[in-house]
Amino acid sequence: MNKAARFVLSVFLLLPALLFCRGCSSGASMSPAPGETRLVIFHSNDVHGKIDNFAKVAAILKRERESGADVFYFCAGDNFTGNPIVDRFNPPGEPMLQLLNRLGLDLLAVGNHEFDYGLAVLENFAARARFPLLAANIQAPPGAFPQLRPSVVLEASGGIKIAVFGLIQIEKASGLPSTLPERVKGLTFSEPLQAALEMKTMRPGNHVLIALTHIGYDQDRLLAERMPELDVIIGGHSHTRVDPAEIVNGVLIAQTGSDNRFLGRVELRMRDGRVIEKKGRLIDLRGKLKEDPEVKAMIDRFNRNPALTRVLATAPFDITGKEELGCLMTDAWRRELGLDIAFQNNGGIRLNRLDKKITLKDVYALDPFDNQVVEITMTAAEIRGLVRESFERGDDIDLQVSGITYTVRTDKDQSVKEVLLRGAGGKALPEDRTFTVGFSSFIPSAYRFEHKDPGRSLGISTADVLIHFLERHPDLSVYRDIRRAFVETEGQS
Amino acid sequence: MQVKVNEKSVEIFSGARVKDVVRKYSRTAWKQVRGKKYSVFDRYGHEVALDGELSGGEGLFVRSVEPEKRQR
């Protein structure tokens, strides 16, 4: 065949593909022609316990299922942590389990927050789930976590086989997902993109290959670049709102943001066992949409859960004042997490009084910001720098502390002359060692102080640590007229 | 870990979320975001939630309106 003939043939062969590509990520709906199949995959990610919009999701799923299309519903991880109604249920996470079962979820990729209640709770969740949990880069010891699978193959009408594998993020430094290490004890994690490449073997024999990931949008793009064998990546973790879904290296990437504000809808048109068109868009759940009355009734019942008024601990008196409350919070973080020292800023203490019967609701009112505990290894000199910075922000004591006491010495104009740190027994803090220091995540992001170690989030919220502490019924009688931070001004006694 | 905000490198604790790194990047930018005058986007122009979890090497942009999508 001569050059001109080859060119004409190439254009002829490429033209339909080019026309299809124009519609790849458009908002237009796809109507299947005779002999074609339409697959619709709805998806959520990073719901974080925000259950209220599930009645709308249920109505949308029902309508689509009644249309005759093959309909699936996937979740790309992180169902827990973010709503006390879900997190404080007994057992934790139960509302999510019941709702996802009711909605007919087909698959759940394990995210780092799936481990937030501990492995035993997750295994119990998985045992009662009517959907498998996926992660190709988690290896459990024999007999443990039997519901966890690397991949599954779903079947659609016409014998279409849809292979799906899961991936969870891991941190480079620890090789573990972003959670407390003891929550994933016994499990082994491998690098997600490497694990994905091993899933290439699923391509032959299946008509559609999907990665259901919890690795973040940047990593999803990298995966698409390295693995063009994929048809679709449905992702989570970075809370990225991808609308419309993007095509990268021929792979469609979708993600819905977070908190159940959007529902993702991916549509695949199939002919002769091949995907000939794909697109994805988000459905905004924030407006007025039809709700499934039965699911709405379930949600209302969960929201009436009296768990928030449960008394966690009883103090001999009301605990009042920033100093007392700050000492209680920082003692909780230090003792529960085995830290040397802990700091909380006054702005993060949102009540001035805790009633002596302390409920969950009180803790969330005291500490409402969903800040994480961050650990930084610091020297005494670095801690002095932090205390100085905190004082100079308002010319007054701003940080409450556990594990040490400190004194800020100023001149008459409130300029800081010296910061003294004292450890156990009132002795000066040694200069030749380092200390593990815990903070609310607000402090290392908002305060400007030198510290060689950048630090790490411990993957647990400050409020949750306080709740665990109070549930152990500590001696609360010490939190009256307690002072650990002092100011000495020149010329004043 | 290092995250770029408006092309400036910010050193932040590992496991930080979007709100942490924006706060560290600039108090002014954080106030604009908190006041809903600005939003945060990734390097591809997609909006990210403030509680979105970050990994080292990611890039964010704090802007008043959704920008044209960027290509790496």
Side-chain angles (χ1 to χ4, degrees):
Chain A
M1 194 186 296
N2 66 32
K3 213 179 220 178
R6 266 205 312 268
F7 174 75
V8 170
L9 184 62
S10 305
V11 170
F12 180 75
L13 290 171
L14 279 173
L15 196 58
L18 289 170
L19 288 172
F20 280 131
C21 276
R22 286 188 64 201
C24 277
S25 54
S26 75
S29 68
M30 296 189 286
S31 302
E36 293 180 356
T37 308
R38 189 166 60 104
L39 302 180
V40 178
I41 302 164
F42 288 99
H43 58 99
S44 303
N45 60 274
D46 299 279
V47 171
H48 288 290
K50 308 299 193 306
I51 57 176
D52 288 349
N53 283 335
F54 274 137
K56 296 172 186 171
V57 173
I60 293 165
L61 291 171
K62 188 177 177 188
R63 190 168 60 239
E64 194 78 42
R65 283 169 179 146
E66 287 171 353
S67 77
D70 281 295
V71 178
F72 298 92
Y73 180 36
F74 296 174
C75 179
D78 274 11
N79 285 296
F80 305 149
T81 305
N83 180 4
I85 292 291
V86 169
D87 298 328
R88 296 292 149 196
F89 209 89
N90 185 18
E94 182 69 16
M96 286 300 300
L97 176 69
Q98 289 191 25
L99 285 163
L100 293 176
N101 277 341
R102 176 67 178 73
L103 293 171
L105 186 76
D106 291 288
L107 297 172
L108 168 63
V110 178
N112 53 307
H113 285 288
E114 257 65 52
F115 296 104
D116 283 354
Y117 310 142
L119 196 51
V121 174
L122 181 59
E123 284 189 276
N124 181 45
F125 175 96
R128 296 170 54 231
R130 294 186 203 136
F131 46 85
L133 278 70
L134 295 185
N137 60 327
I138 302 178
Q139 292 81 42
F145 213 162
Q147 301 81 11
L148 180 69
R149 303 182 200 171
S151 61
V152 294
V153 177
L154 303 172
E155 288 219 12
S157 58
I160 291 172
K161 290 183 176 175
I162 306 160
V164 189
F165 64 87
L167 295 174
I168 183 171
Q169 61 82 225
I170 58 168
E171 290 180 0
K172 271 185 188 165
S174 65
L176 298 174
S178 303
T179 189
L180 287 174
E182 64 257 31
R183 291 174 179 160
V184 292
K185 205 172 176 182
L187 300 179
T188 312
F189 298 85
S190 56
E191 205 283 317
L193 296 195
Q194 190 56 43
L197 294 178
E198 290 166 17
M199 293 289 130
K200 280 185 180 181
T201 54
M202 298 191 79
R203 179 75 264 188
N206 290 299
H207 302 103
V208 182
L209 182 59
I210 297 175
L212 185 61
T213 75
H214 193 83
I215 58 177
Y217 185 70
D218 269 24
Q219 291 293 302
D220 282 337
R221 289 185 71 103
L222 207 53
L223 176 60
E225 283 162 11
R226 290 189 190 172
M227 199 169 167
E229 293 85 354
L230 284 164
D231 293 297
V232 177
I233 298 171
I234 292 173
H237 186 60
S238 54
H239 298 199
T240 310
R241 182 149 64 96
V242 185
D243 192 19
E246 286 219 60
I247 302 276
V248 176
N249 198 24
V251 182
L252 184 129
I253 307 178
Q255 192 179 152
T256 70
S258 63
D259 293 345
N260 222 6
R261 288 186 281 251
F262 296 89
L263 175 68
R265 185 184 188 279
V266 166
E267 191 170 333
L268 306 177
R269 212 168 99 211
M270 311 280 303
R271 186 195 296 152
D272 300 328
R274 295 187 63 187
V275 177
I276 58 169
E277 188 180 357
K278 51 191 170 187
K279 66 175 187 176
R281 65 182 174 86
L282 300 184
I283 299 164
D284 192 339
L285 300 171
R286 296 169 297 181
K288 198 170 181 182
L289 295 175
K290 192 180 171 188
E291 294 182 307
D292 181 300
E294 288 176 23
V295 174
K296 180 75 168 61
M298 285 174 76
I299 294 164
D300 289 344
R301 197 173 68 244
F302 291 131
N303 281 330
R304 284 195 299 269
N305 185 327
L308 287 184
T309 55
R310 179 166 68 88
V311 175
L312 296 167
T314 305
F317 42 77
D318 293 353
I319 300 175
T320 58
K322 295 277 187 192
E323 292 87 351
E324 288 77 2
L325 294 166
C327 288
L328 169 64
M329 294 166 91
T330 53
D331 281 352
W333 310 343
R334 185 175 66 82
R335 293 188 197 170
E336 287 293 309
L337 299 169
L339 301 160
D340 295 321
I341 299 165
F343 285 104
Q344 169 68 313
N345 63 307
N346 283 343
I349 304 166
R350 305 305 290 181
L351 292 179
N352 283 317
R353 171 187 294 269
L354 265 184
D355 189 85
K356 59 184 176 182
K357 287 189 184 303
I358 304 169
T359 65
L360 278 170
K361 202 172 174 181
D362 294 332
V363 173
Y364 289 115
L366 175 70
D367 186 0
F369 296 117
D370 189 29
N371 286 320
Q372 307 287 297
V373 182
V374 171
E375 178 195 85
I376 303 177
T377 302
M378 297 175 75
T379 63
E382 289 173 333
I383 296 168
R384 280 195 295 273
L386 164 67
V387 172
R388 177 184 282 265
E389 148 77 3
S390 71
F391 187 89
E392 288 175 346
R393 287 167 71 94
D395 286 340
D396 205 349
I397 293 294
D398 174 60
L399 291 180
Q400 304 305 327
V401 66
S402 176
I404 58 168
T405 62
Y406 71 80
T407 302
V408 180
R409 287 186 174 156
T410 74
D411 63 17
K412 289 172 187 168
D413 300 323
Q414 292 292 88
S415 291
V416 177
K417 293 177 69 180
E418 189 180 19
V419 174
L420 303 173
L421 307 175
R422 293 191 179 89
K427 290 181 184 168
L429 216 56
E431 299 292 325
D432 57 350
R433 59 161 287 203
T434 55
F435 303 87
T436 55
V437 187
F439 302 93
S440 147
S441 49
F442 180 83
I443 296 172
S445 62
Y447 288 51
R448 306 292 181 253
F449 61 103
E450 296 291 325
H451 50 102
K452 197 175 169 188
D453 172 24
R456 61 215 65 81
S457 166
L458 297 182
I460 188 165
S461 77
T462 50
D464 279 341
V465 182
L466 179 55
I467 289 164
H468 293 310
F469 180 68
L470 291 170
E471 283 175 333
R472 292 178 197 273
H473 302 290
D475 176 12
L476 299 176
S477 67
V478 297
Y479 299 107
R480 174 177 269 174
D481 299 330
I482 191 167
R483 295 289 179 276
R484 295 174 183 161
F486 306 91
V487 185
E488 288 179 5
T489 304
E490 199 173 63
Q492 293 181 11
S493 57
Chain B
M1 65 183 186
Q2 296 269 348
V3 176
K4 281 195 171 177
V5 183
N6 290 354
E7 308 287 6
K8 182 183 163 190
S9 278
V10 177
E11 177 84 34
I12 189 91
F13 54 86
S14 63
R17 296 187 280 187
V18 170
K19 64 180 180 182
D20 299 316
V21 78
V22 172
R23 209 154 41 202
K24 185 143 189 191
Y25 162 70
S26 155
R27 285 175 190 164
T28 310
W30 171 241
K31 279 181 188 169
Q32 301 280 25
V33 169
R34 210 176 47 175
K36 300 195 187 303
K37 289 178 182 164
Y38 283 13
S39 290
V40 186
F41 300 88
D42 69 11
R43 56 167 65 111
Y44 309 102
H46 302 302
E47 189 172 355
V48 290
L50 294 180
D51 51 3
E53 297 181 52
L54 293 166
S55 301
E58 290 192 41
L60 298 174
F61 292 87
V62 182
R63 296 186 194 283
S64 58
V65 288
E66 189 165 352
E68 284 183 29
K69 294 200 170 166
R70 293 171 157 253
Q71 295 300 317
R72 182 143 51 175

